[in-house]
Structures are given as structure tokens and as C-alpha cells.
Amino acid sequence: MKLLFFISFLIFALKAYCQEEIITLPLKHSDYIKNIVYSSDRRYVYTVSYDKTIKLWYFNGALFIKTFYGHQDEITDIIVNTTNTNFFSADKSKNLIYWDTHNGNIINQIKTEDIVFSLYYNENENVLIAGEGNGTLNFYQLPEMSKIKSISTKHFIVFNILRSKDPQIYFLALKKIPNINQRELIGKGNVLIYNSKH
């Protein structure tokens, strides 16, 4: 009876140990997860880590697909196109990277004027919009990533960009740039509505 109990315990312990090894072995990030982003069809998940990598997972089966290497600093934002063929990411070293999702290669990479805190991809016009730390909203034409337009958000950083049903209207969530005198600001909780027609 003791032998049967010992064998059962040993089998259970081995299963638990092996399962833990399988789950954690090559898949996990080496640092904390900073952000999780779904693809538009909710079939895939991108995990962004402080280890400066992005990992792609198949959501339904929780299967690991690949790791994207290329950033040398903390990743600040990521945006994925609706077909899940490309995505864009930015880091604290002012790198803005245009990725091919399928093969993991970098299509293009540029240095921005300041740290990018928010990204939005306008697929109809093939334009990437970046809210930068110097209080500007910059528009980059793809695939060459050349800057085509820049607007000032004054003493604010755009930290979130949403597009309305009208393709020309954007809602911009703002936060104060550090070290700006509070009296120069309109107030707290600012939202800017930007019309790209004007």
C-alpha cells in the first residue's frame, strides 16, 4: 500500500514539475508585461514587456507564435493593423518601428523628434499618427515613414488617439507635459477634438 502511494505521489509530482517547465521554458518574457494588445479579429494577442520584446500569441489556444526583437529601450506603445499583417511600435529611445507580422522583420524604422507616447494607424490614408512628448502630433506617410504633417498640442502630450465615425475627426486624450507652469494650462482632464480637414 505504501509503495502504491509513493508511486502515485511520484507520478503526480513529475506531472506537475514537467507541466511547469513546459509552460515557462522558452515562452515567457524575461521581465514584467507592460501591455497586452488584441488583433482586430481577436484571434491574436501581442504582449509587450519591459524586456524590450514583443511576443505574438494565438489567443484561442494560447499558443506562442514568435518574438519580435529590435527595440533597445522600453516600448511605449504599439498599434496593429486590422488585417494583422503589420504593426507599429515605439520606444523611449525615440525609435518608431514598422513590422511585418508574418516573418517578424522590420519593414522600416525612423528616429522621432521626441518619445512617442501614443500611436494610431489610419489605414484608409496609410498614415501613422504619433503623439510625441514635445507636445506635437506627427503624421507619417507609409511605407517610407516620411513626416507629412505636424500639429502642436501646446503644453500637452497626446497619450491616446481615437477616431470617430467621421474619418476626419480624432479625439485626443491629453496629459500635461512635466515642468510646465500650471497657470499656463486650460485645466485638468483635457480632451482635444482634431479635424484633419482644416
PDB file of all heavy atoms in Angstrom, residues 29-35 47-54 71-76 92:
ATOM      1  N   HIS A  29       8.311  36.142 -21.104  1.00  0.00           N
ATOM      2  CA  HIS A  29       9.196  37.303 -21.164  1.00  0.00           C
ATOM      3  C   HIS A  29      10.154  37.233 -19.984  1.00  0.00           C
ATOM      4  O   HIS A  29       9.867  36.617 -18.966  1.00  0.00           O
ATOM      5  CB  HIS A  29       8.375  38.586 -21.074  1.00  0.00           C
ATOM      6  CG  HIS A  29       7.616  38.911 -22.323  1.00  0.00           C
ATOM      7  ND1 HIS A  29       8.205  39.483 -23.423  1.00  0.00           N
ATOM      8  CD2 HIS A  29       6.305  38.760 -22.628  1.00  0.00           C
ATOM      9  CE1 HIS A  29       7.287  39.669 -24.350  1.00  0.00           C
ATOM     10  NE2 HIS A  29       6.129  39.242 -23.899  1.00  0.00           N
ATOM     11  N   SER A  30      11.277  37.917 -20.111  1.00  0.00           N
ATOM     12  CA  SER A  30      12.255  37.921 -19.024  1.00  0.00           C
ATOM     13  C   SER A  30      12.041  39.082 -18.050  1.00  0.00           C
ATOM     14  O   SER A  30      12.813  39.265 -17.117  1.00  0.00           O
ATOM     15  CB  SER A  30      13.675  37.973 -19.588  1.00  0.00           C
ATOM     16  OG  SER A  30      13.860  39.166 -20.310  1.00  0.00           O
ATOM     17  N   ASP A  31      10.988  39.870 -18.268  1.00  0.00           N
ATOM     18  CA  ASP A  31      10.651  40.966 -17.368  1.00  0.00           C
ATOM     19  C   ASP A  31       9.135  41.136 -17.365  1.00  0.00           C
ATOM     20  O   ASP A  31       8.422  40.437 -18.083  1.00  0.00           O
ATOM     21  CB  ASP A  31      11.355  42.260 -17.808  1.00  0.00           C
ATOM     22  CG  ASP A  31      11.595  43.223 -16.649  1.00  0.00           C
ATOM     23  OD1 ASP A  31      10.874  43.130 -15.636  1.00  0.00           O
ATOM     24  OD2 ASP A  31      12.493  44.069 -16.759  1.00  0.00           O
ATOM     25  N   TYR A  32       8.640  42.101 -16.597  1.00  0.00           N
ATOM     26  CA  TYR A  32       7.205  42.302 -16.453  1.00  0.00           C
ATOM     27  C   TYR A  32       6.535  42.660 -17.787  1.00  0.00           C
ATOM     28  O   TYR A  32       7.150  43.291 -18.650  1.00  0.00           O
ATOM     29  CB  TYR A  32       6.911  43.412 -15.448  1.00  0.00           C
ATOM     30  CG  TYR A  32       7.332  43.082 -14.041  1.00  0.00           C
ATOM     31  CD1 TYR A  32       8.389  43.751 -13.446  1.00  0.00           C
ATOM     32  CD2 TYR A  32       6.680  42.090 -13.322  1.00  0.00           C
ATOM     33  CE1 TYR A  32       8.788  43.445 -12.151  1.00  0.00           C
ATOM     34  CE2 TYR A  32       7.067  41.771 -12.029  1.00  0.00           C
ATOM     35  CZ  TYR A  32       8.121  42.454 -11.446  1.00  0.00           C
ATOM     36  OH  TYR A  32       8.519  42.145 -10.175  1.00  0.00           O
ATOM     37  N   ILE A  33       5.267  42.287 -17.891  1.00  0.00           N
ATOM     38  CA  ILE A  33       4.455  42.652 -19.052  1.00  0.00           C
ATOM     39  C   ILE A  33       3.961  44.084 -18.854  1.00  0.00           C
ATOM     40  O   ILE A  33       3.429  44.429 -17.795  1.00  0.00           O
ATOM     41  CB  ILE A  33       3.231  41.713 -19.203  1.00  0.00           C
ATOM     42  CG1 ILE A  33       3.679  40.253 -19.307  1.00  0.00           C
ATOM     43  CG2 ILE A  33       2.380  42.126 -20.398  1.00  0.00           C
ATOM     44  CD1 ILE A  33       4.467  39.914 -20.514  1.00  0.00           C
ATOM     45  N   LYS A  34       4.139  44.908 -19.871  1.00  0.00           N
ATOM     46  CA  LYS A  34       3.709  46.305 -19.796  1.00  0.00           C
ATOM     47  C   LYS A  34       2.344  46.516 -20.435  1.00  0.00           C
ATOM     48  O   LYS A  34       1.558  47.334 -19.987  1.00  0.00           O
ATOM     49  CB  LYS A  34       4.745  47.186 -20.503  1.00  0.00           C
ATOM     50  CG  LYS A  34       4.358  48.635 -20.514  1.00  0.00           C
ATOM     51  CD  LYS A  34       5.379  49.513 -21.145  1.00  0.00           C
ATOM     52  CE  LYS A  34       4.891  50.934 -21.083  1.00  0.00           C
ATOM     53  NZ  LYS A  34       5.901  51.884 -21.402  1.00  0.00           N
ATOM     54  N   ASN A  35       2.061  45.766 -21.503  1.00  0.00           N
ATOM     55  CA  ASN A  35       0.829  45.991 -22.256  1.00  0.00           C
ATOM     56  C   ASN A  35       0.432  44.717 -22.979  1.00  0.00           C
ATOM     57  O   ASN A  35       1.284  43.901 -23.322  1.00  0.00           O
ATOM     58  CB  ASN A  35       1.052  47.131 -23.270  1.00  0.00           C
ATOM     59  CG  ASN A  35      -0.235  47.711 -23.793  1.00  0.00           C
ATOM     60  OD1 ASN A  35      -1.322  47.335 -23.361  1.00  0.00           O
ATOM     61  ND2 ASN A  35      -0.126  48.623 -24.728  1.00  0.00           N
ATOM     62  N   THR A  47       1.953  40.648 -26.593  1.00  0.00           N
ATOM     63  CA  THR A  47       2.365  41.043 -25.244  1.00  0.00           C
ATOM     64  C   THR A  47       3.631  41.887 -25.355  1.00  0.00           C
ATOM     65  O   THR A  47       4.564  41.530 -26.058  1.00  0.00           O
ATOM     66  CB  THR A  47       2.619  39.815 -24.344  1.00  0.00           C
ATOM     67  OG1 THR A  47       3.540  38.939 -24.975  1.00  0.00           O
ATOM     68  CG2 THR A  47       1.326  39.077 -24.036  1.00  0.00           C
ATOM     69  N   VAL A  48       3.606  43.024 -24.673  1.00  0.00           N
ATOM     70  CA  VAL A  48       4.723  43.972 -24.698  1.00  0.00           C
ATOM     71  C   VAL A  48       5.353  43.954 -23.313  1.00  0.00           C
ATOM     72  O   VAL A  48       4.660  44.111 -22.307  1.00  0.00           O
ATOM     73  CB  VAL A  48       4.225  45.391 -25.049  1.00  0.00           C
ATOM     74  CG1 VAL A  48       5.372  46.373 -25.084  1.00  0.00           C
ATOM     75  CG2 VAL A  48       3.468  45.384 -26.368  1.00  0.00           C
ATOM     76  N   SER A  49       6.675  43.787 -23.270  1.00  0.00           N
ATOM     77  CA  SER A  49       7.348  43.628 -21.982  1.00  0.00           C
ATOM     78  C   SER A  49       8.422  44.679 -21.766  1.00  0.00           C
ATOM     79  O   SER A  49       8.948  45.270 -22.711  1.00  0.00           O
ATOM     80  CB  SER A  49       7.979  42.230 -21.919  1.00  0.00           C
ATOM     81  OG  SER A  49       8.817  42.099 -20.798  1.00  0.00           O
ATOM     82  N   TYR A  50       8.764  44.868 -20.494  1.00  0.00           N
ATOM     83  CA  TYR A  50       9.901  45.715 -20.146  1.00  0.00           C
ATOM     84  C   TYR A  50      11.223  45.102 -20.594  1.00  0.00           C
ATOM     85  O   TYR A  50      12.256  45.758 -20.534  1.00  0.00           O
ATOM     86  CB  TYR A  50       9.930  45.974 -18.638  1.00  0.00           C
ATOM     87  CG  TYR A  50       8.869  46.954 -18.178  1.00  0.00           C
ATOM     88  CD1 TYR A  50       7.706  46.508 -17.554  1.00  0.00           C
ATOM     89  CD2 TYR A  50       9.029  48.327 -18.375  1.00  0.00           C
ATOM     90  CE1 TYR A  50       6.730  47.404 -17.139  1.00  0.00           C
ATOM     91  CE2 TYR A  50       8.062  49.222 -17.964  1.00  0.00           C
ATOM     92  CZ  TYR A  50       6.923  48.767 -17.342  1.00  0.00           C
ATOM     93  OH  TYR A  50       5.950  49.654 -16.941  1.00  0.00           O
ATOM     94  N   ASP A  51      11.204  43.843 -21.058  1.00  0.00           N
ATOM     95  CA  ASP A  51      12.438  43.237 -21.580  1.00  0.00           C
ATOM     96  C   ASP A  51      12.734  43.687 -23.015  1.00  0.00           C
ATOM     97  O   ASP A  51      13.630  43.183 -23.657  1.00  0.00           O
ATOM     98  CB  ASP A  51      12.390  41.705 -21.481  1.00  0.00           C
ATOM     99  CG  ASP A  51      11.349  41.055 -22.386  1.00  0.00           C
ATOM    100  OD1 ASP A  51      10.760  41.751 -23.247  1.00  0.00           O
ATOM    101  OD2 ASP A  51      11.123  39.838 -22.246  1.00  0.00           O
ATOM    102  N   LYS A  52      11.925  44.653 -23.527  1.00  0.00           N
ATOM    103  CA  LYS A  52      12.130  45.284 -24.844  1.00  0.00           C
ATOM    104  C   LYS A  52      11.753  44.374 -26.008  1.00  0.00           C
ATOM    105  O   LYS A  52      12.185  44.592 -27.141  1.00  0.00           O
ATOM    106  CB  LYS A  52      13.571  45.778 -25.010  1.00  0.00           C
ATOM    107  CG  LYS A  52      14.004  46.724 -23.910  1.00  0.00           C
ATOM    108  CD  LYS A  52      15.506  46.870 -23.859  1.00  0.00           C
ATOM    109  CE  LYS A  52      15.909  47.550 -22.581  1.00  0.00           C
ATOM    110  NZ  LYS A  52      17.269  47.286 -22.189  1.00  0.00           N
ATOM    111  N   THR A  53      10.954  43.348 -25.737  1.00  0.00           N
ATOM    112  CA  THR A  53      10.480  42.472 -26.808  1.00  0.00           C
ATOM    113  C   THR A  53       8.958  42.500 -26.863  1.00  0.00           C
ATOM    114  O   THR A  53       8.285  42.889 -25.905  1.00  0.00           O
ATOM    115  CB  THR A  53      10.931  41.007 -26.608  1.00  0.00           C
ATOM    116  OG1 THR A  53      10.291  40.474 -25.442  1.00  0.00           O
ATOM    117  CG2 THR A  53      12.436  40.902 -26.493  1.00  0.00           C
ATOM    118  N   ILE A  54       8.459  42.058 -28.022  1.00  0.00           N
ATOM    119  CA  ILE A  54       7.020  41.883 -28.239  1.00  0.00           C
ATOM    120  C   ILE A  54       6.828  40.430 -28.636  1.00  0.00           C
ATOM    121  O   ILE A  54       7.557  39.912 -29.482  1.00  0.00           O
ATOM    122  CB  ILE A  54       6.516  42.825 -29.354  1.00  0.00           C
ATOM    123  CG1 ILE A  54       6.774  44.288 -28.969  1.00  0.00           C
ATOM    124  CG2 ILE A  54       5.038  42.580 -29.643  1.00  0.00           C
ATOM    125  CD1 ILE A  54       6.716  45.258 -30.125  1.00  0.00           C
ATOM    126  N   HIS A  71      13.868  46.550 -30.468  1.00  0.00           N
ATOM    127  CA  HIS A  71      13.936  47.709 -29.566  1.00  0.00           C
ATOM    128  C   HIS A  71      15.097  47.553 -28.601  1.00  0.00           C
ATOM    129  O   HIS A  71      15.374  46.464 -28.124  1.00  0.00           O
ATOM    130  CB  HIS A  71      12.626  47.859 -28.799  1.00  0.00           C
ATOM    131  CG  HIS A  71      11.505  48.377 -29.642  1.00  0.00           C
ATOM    132  ND1 HIS A  71      11.447  49.687 -30.063  1.00  0.00           N
ATOM    133  CD2 HIS A  71      10.411  47.754 -30.151  1.00  0.00           C
ATOM    134  CE1 HIS A  71      10.348  49.851 -30.783  1.00  0.00           C
ATOM    135  NE2 HIS A  71       9.718  48.694 -30.866  1.00  0.00           N
ATOM    136  N   GLN A  72      15.750  48.684 -28.326  1.00  0.00           N
ATOM    137  CA  GLN A  72      16.853  48.704 -27.371  1.00  0.00           C
ATOM    138  C   GLN A  72      16.470  49.427 -26.086  1.00  0.00           C
ATOM    139  O   GLN A  72      17.296  49.609 -25.199  1.00  0.00           O
ATOM    140  CB  GLN A  72      18.083  49.389 -27.997  1.00  0.00           C
ATOM    141  CG  GLN A  72      18.550  48.758 -29.283  1.00  0.00           C
ATOM    142  CD  GLN A  72      18.931  47.298 -29.103  1.00  0.00           C
ATOM    143  OE1 GLN A  72      19.603  46.936 -28.159  1.00  0.00           O
ATOM    144  NE2 GLN A  72      18.488  46.450 -30.026  1.00  0.00           N
ATOM    145  N   ASP A  73      15.214  49.859 -25.989  1.00  0.00           N
ATOM    146  CA  ASP A  73      14.743  50.599 -24.827  1.00  0.00           C
ATOM    147  C   ASP A  73      13.292  50.223 -24.568  1.00  0.00           C
ATOM    148  O   ASP A  73      12.661  49.531 -25.376  1.00  0.00           O
ATOM    149  CB  ASP A  73      14.887  52.112 -25.073  1.00  0.00           C
ATOM    150  CG  ASP A  73      15.057  52.914 -23.784  1.00  0.00           C
ATOM    151  OD1 ASP A  73      14.697  52.399 -22.709  1.00  0.00           O
ATOM    152  OD2 ASP A  73      15.551  54.054 -23.858  1.00  0.00           O
ATOM    153  N   GLU A  74      12.743  50.719 -23.459  1.00  0.00           N
ATOM    154  CA  GLU A  74      11.368  50.397 -23.067  1.00  0.00           C
ATOM    155  C   GLU A  74      10.379  50.800 -24.155  1.00  0.00           C
ATOM    156  O   GLU A  74      10.412  51.917 -24.670  1.00  0.00           O
ATOM    157  CB  GLU A  74      11.041  51.130 -21.762  1.00  0.00           C
ATOM    158  CG  GLU A  74       9.657  50.878 -21.237  1.00  0.00           C
ATOM    159  CD  GLU A  74       9.338  51.734 -20.032  1.00  0.00           C
ATOM    160  OE1 GLU A  74      10.263  52.053 -19.257  1.00  0.00           O
ATOM    161  OE2 GLU A  74       8.159  52.112 -19.873  1.00  0.00           O
ATOM    162  N   ILE A  75       9.483  49.894 -24.499  1.00  0.00           N
ATOM    163  CA  ILE A  75       8.482  50.132 -25.534  1.00  0.00           C
ATOM    164  C   ILE A  75       7.354  50.961 -24.930  1.00  0.00           C
ATOM    165  O   ILE A  75       6.829  50.632 -23.863  1.00  0.00           O
ATOM    166  CB  ILE A  75       7.966  48.798 -26.105  1.00  0.00           C
ATOM    167  CG1 ILE A  75       9.124  48.020 -26.742  1.00  0.00           C
ATOM    168  CG2 ILE A  75       6.843  49.029 -27.109  1.00  0.00           C
ATOM    169  CD1 ILE A  75       8.841  46.568 -27.023  1.00  0.00           C
ATOM    170  N   THR A  76       6.984  52.040 -25.612  1.00  0.00           N
ATOM    171  CA  THR A  76       5.974  52.957 -25.078  1.00  0.00           C
ATOM    172  C   THR A  76       4.580  52.716 -25.641  1.00  0.00           C
ATOM    173  O   THR A  76       3.594  52.957 -24.959  1.00  0.00           O
ATOM    174  CB  THR A  76       6.374  54.419 -25.353  1.00  0.00           C
ATOM    175  OG1 THR A  76       6.614  54.580 -26.763  1.00  0.00           O
ATOM    176  CG2 THR A  76       7.620  54.790 -24.568  1.00  0.00           C
ATOM    177  N   LYS A  92      11.371  54.382 -25.809  1.00  0.00           N
ATOM    178  CA  LYS A  92      11.866  55.580 -25.122  1.00  0.00           C
ATOM    179  C   LYS A  92      13.142  56.143 -25.733  1.00  0.00           C
ATOM    180  O   LYS A  92      13.554  57.236 -25.370  1.00  0.00           O
ATOM    181  CB  LYS A  92      12.075  55.282 -23.637  1.00  0.00           C
ATOM    182  CG  LYS A  92      10.777  55.244 -22.862  1.00  0.00           C
ATOM    183  CD  LYS A  92      11.016  55.271 -21.371  1.00  0.00           C
ATOM    184  CE  LYS A  92       9.709  55.482 -20.637  1.00  0.00           C
ATOM    185  NZ  LYS A  92       9.894  55.444 -19.182  1.00  0.00           N
TER     186      LYS A  92
END
